[in-house]
Amino acid sequence: MRIQVGTAAALLGLLVAACGNRSESGNGGDDASVVGLMNERGLSEQDVIAALKTYTPTGKHDEYYCFASGGHGGNLIVIGVPSMRILKYVGVFTTEPWQGFGYDDATIELLGSVKDGENRFTWADMHHPALSETNGSYDGKYIFVNDKANPRIGVVDLSDFVTKQIVGTELIQSEHGACFVTPNTDYVIETSQYPAPLGGAYAPIEEYNDKYRGAMIFWRFDRERGRIDTAASFAIELPPYMQDLADCGKKVSDGWVFCNSINTERAYGGTLEGKPPLESGSSQNDMDYLHCINWRKAEAVAKAGKTETIAGMRTISLKTAIAENLLAFVPEPKSPHGNDVTPDGTGIVVGGKLDTHTTVYDTQKIAAQIEAKQFVGEDPYGVPILDFQKSIKGQCKIGLGPLHTVFDDKGFAYTSVFIETVVAKWSLADLKVVEKIDTHYNIGHLVAAEGDTVDPDGKYLIAMNKWSLDRFAPVGPLLPQNFQLVDIGGSSMNLLYDMPLPLGEPHNAQIIKADKLKPIETFKPSGMEPILGKVDPHAVADGQQRIERQADGVHVYMTAIRSHFKPDIIRVKEGDMVHLHITSVEQATDATHGFAMGGQDVNVSLEPGKHCNISFKAHRAGVFPFYCTEFCSALHLEMAGYMLVEPR
Ligand code: K7E
Ligand code: CUA
């Protein structure tokens, strides 16, 4: 049950009245009355109301899940709202040792699925998680995340909170406009940021205008398999502007995707070579270009085979995109950043980092002009341009440096204003600001409950601030981030909670109603390999435990159950390849084991029913104890064994 403001204030009043005559002592200590505690801790009535709205007693679950990107930490963070308790980190692009993520054969292969010659990526820069949608609403099935640095998309299954797939392409060399999904999750969109020759080849930077390009990739999501189908995916070549954030049309604008761009000047720096730095070179023009792409048309063009294959990706050339009338530009104010489609799909809100307005574009006016080919010009690559005034609904005077916008259920938009450091609440109907609330420092994205779907919930908003200057006990020069929970359920906004987030800069997040998720409690049937998504061919049932010497090494078929591994002695020879096949034959929800072996970098998590395959070389002779890493029973310390490596 959620406590309303009125109720909370009344309750507080009662408590204060009831305890008032016991609150005179003033020296805190054992005075546990509400007023005594308020005096002792210096809390205002507002503070106590905020506490009552967020405090979640033991055993009570949160109303929402927030999924936040782990930024350059490369993992996904799961947070309960409104308590702001961290529930889980999900390993996606980086190893997560406690989950054994990145230590068994399947997850090692997953993390290495895009290789740069000999180098496997060991990190990622995650920005924008996107929940899967059905008819424009979150369906609670999957969440997609991006890697800006080494362009990749991760697919996390919310039935078990495990990353199932990572796809990438060398078509592009960096990205940012990802992930954004179409309203039924047919496609996951990933857009390049820093132009480079498509496919990863070399070209001198002086040939930037001719040889460098951007691209938007449409990764086809196969819902049945819960995986991206790379062969059914395609891309569109774009001019060498720095494409930035994208968002998909919905309802009346379903079928479109909108993506803004910076650096239409095509500056590329050269600070030691007599050229202006990129930041000033790229900020000369008054307008950049909002890219409007008809993705249904693009899909048909790709299906008709009007593509060329670059780095394995079917790509619609810029020429074809123009000829097929599936790409057009609308000017947008200087250095745009956020690009957010309104819940009804009629508008797109663009925030200009160096502007004082948000601009609301009219998706229907844009579509009609493109259909009728009412263009007023073209860019140097022949991309048609629409008239700015004829494409907008209007502008809202919002403050200096608007970035991102989310929505509530009452027709309001909420925009993060970076330079002014506020959240501005404004009306979509008349484009007027109704309220601003100070945020602590450097607000980037903000996220509202289901706030970028066709049916936002309102209620809560989180301001995602970069750097928690002065806000928490100091921990050295590298500061945590600061998530600020704001109550947007009432007529005015109220700050409820500051939460330090000691991980990479989280950029964006998604908030979904908790009851939309139904995660499993154990892997069933026993022997499930989560990435494979079915019983592993090497799964071991009780009675089948064995050790076999085969052509490719020693295969150990092992089970784990409270409180032993069977077998518990493994005998191999120096230099042997060892293949461990371990099945947890548990089905109780409180029976997770781990399998760790010192000296070999072997470490996996064995949740009930899970199967893991682990391959490694017994590189030197010696005695290697192995043990269970989860305190699973009174005899947990005895859940151990030995690998004996005999000298050759
Ligand atoms: Cu504004 Cu990557 Cu969405 Cu950061 S981006 S804030
Ligand atoms: Cu199994 Cu400890």
Side-chain angles (χ1 to χ4, degrees), residues 127-128 148 176 245 337 403-404 444-445 466 505 507-508:
H127 282 226
H128 309 105
K148 170 170 167 156
H176 190 222
L245 298 183
H337 186 45
L403 295 184
H404 301 284
H445 274 271
K466 305 159 193 303
E505 185 181 334
H507 297 275
N508 202 14

Side-chain angles (χ1 to χ4, degrees), residues 25-359:
S25 65
N27 67 345
D30 50 6
D31 182 358
S33 73
V34 172
V35 171
L37 285 169
M38 286 171 71
N39 287 340
E40 183 192 336
R41 302 197 62 215
L43 301 178
S44 68
E45 186 174 320
Q46 263 308 315
D47 295 334
V48 178
I49 290 172
L52 289 175
K53 287 188 166 196
T54 53
Y55 176 69
T56 307
T58 182
K60 286 241 162 43
H61 292 193
D62 279 297
E63 190 182 355
Y64 290 93
Y65 288 95
C66 170
F67 291 90
S69 92
H72 40 318
N75 54 1
L76 183 69
I77 306 155
V78 189
I79 301 162
V81 175
S83 74
M84 303 307 277
R85 297 176 296 194
I86 293 180
L87 302 175
K88 195 167 200 176
Y89 300 126
V90 180
V92 183
F93 296 114
T94 46
T95 58
E96 199 65 45
W98 69 286
Q99 296 168 3
F101 188 78
Y103 297 87
D104 67 330
D105 296 352
T107 54
I108 287 171
E109 195 191 326
L110 191 73
L111 288 177
S113 59
V114 173
K115 288 180 183 168
D116 172 18
E118 297 289 289
N119 296 328
R120 210 176 80 215
F121 306 127
T122 59
W123 76 288
D125 187 10
M126 188 191 292
H127 282 226
H128 309 105
L131 286 159
S132 58
E133 294 180 10
T134 299
N135 297 324
S137 291
Y138 297 151
D139 55 34
K141 300 287 190 235
Y142 298 93
I143 189 160
F144 307 93
V145 293
N146 73 315
D147 173 9
K148 170 170 167 156
N150 322 289
R152 293 180 293 175
I153 303 291
V155 181
V156 180
D157 189 332
L158 294 178
S159 73
D160 55 8
F161 285 63
V162 172
T163 302
K164 304 290 174 164
Q165 187 186 26
I166 295 174
V167 298
T169 168
E170 283 169 9
L171 180 72
I172 56 176
Q173 309 308 313
S174 78
E175 53 107 294
H176 190 222
C179 303
F180 299 95
V181 297
T182 54
N184 280 302
T185 322
D186 300 302
Y187 291 98
V188 181
I189 286 156
E190 182 183 34
T191 316
S192 61
Q193 179 135 76
Y194 306 115
L198 293 184
Y202 169 79
I205 200 149
E206 291 72 22
E207 295 174 20
Y208 191 94
N209 292 355
D210 296 331
K211 301 263 175 78
Y212 287 45
R213 289 292 180 269
M216 180 180 284
I217 297 164
F218 293 79
W219 294 104
R220 173 81 198 173
F221 186 59
D222 178 344
R223 201 181 264 272
E224 204 125 293
R225 286 176 51 240
R227 302 289 187 277
I228 284 169
D229 180 350
T230 52
S233 304
F234 66 94
I236 302 175
E237 178 190 6
L238 297 172
Y241 310 138
M242 291 176 181
Q243 282 77 26
D244 200 32
L245 298 183
D247 201 3
C248 293
K250 51 186 79 148
K251 293 190 165 175
V252 295
S253 52
D254 186 13
W256 290 88
V257 52
F258 306 96
C259 175
N260 54 30
S261 62
I262 52 175
N263 194 21
T264 40
E265 297 82 352
R266 292 172 290 168
Y268 51 78
T271 44
L272 266 191
E273 301 174 15
K275 297 231 173 64
L278 185 56
E279 58 171 353
S280 59
S282 66
S283 310
Q284 300 304 306
N285 298 348
D286 282 335
M287 292 291 205
D288 289 296
Y289 295 128
L290 178 69
H291 296 35
C292 307
I293 293 170
N294 185 331
W295 67 260
R296 283 202 207 282
K297 226 178 218 182
E299 182 185 47
V301 166
K303 278 196 178 136
K306 297 180 197 168
T307 54
E308 49 186 302
T309 300
I310 307 173
M313 180 62 69
R314 294 184 302 151
T315 307
I316 299 171
S317 70
L318 198 44
K319 237 176 97 191
T320 304
I322 296 165
E324 298 283 344
N325 196 27
L326 59 83
L327 166 69
F329 290 161
V330 191
E332 50 186 355
K334 221 171 176 129
S335 293
H337 186 45
N339 171 7
D340 299 282
V341 174
T342 57
D344 64 4
T346 64
I348 317 153
V349 180
V350 170
K353 303 189 294 278
L354 303 178
D355 196 2
T356 52
H357 299 87
T358 47
T359 303

Side-chain angles (χ1 to χ4, degrees), residues 563 592-594 628-633 636 639:
S563 303
T592 290
H593 305 285
C628 170
T629 45
E630 294 270 348
F631 205 105
C632 54
S633 73
H636 150 78
M639 191 166 174

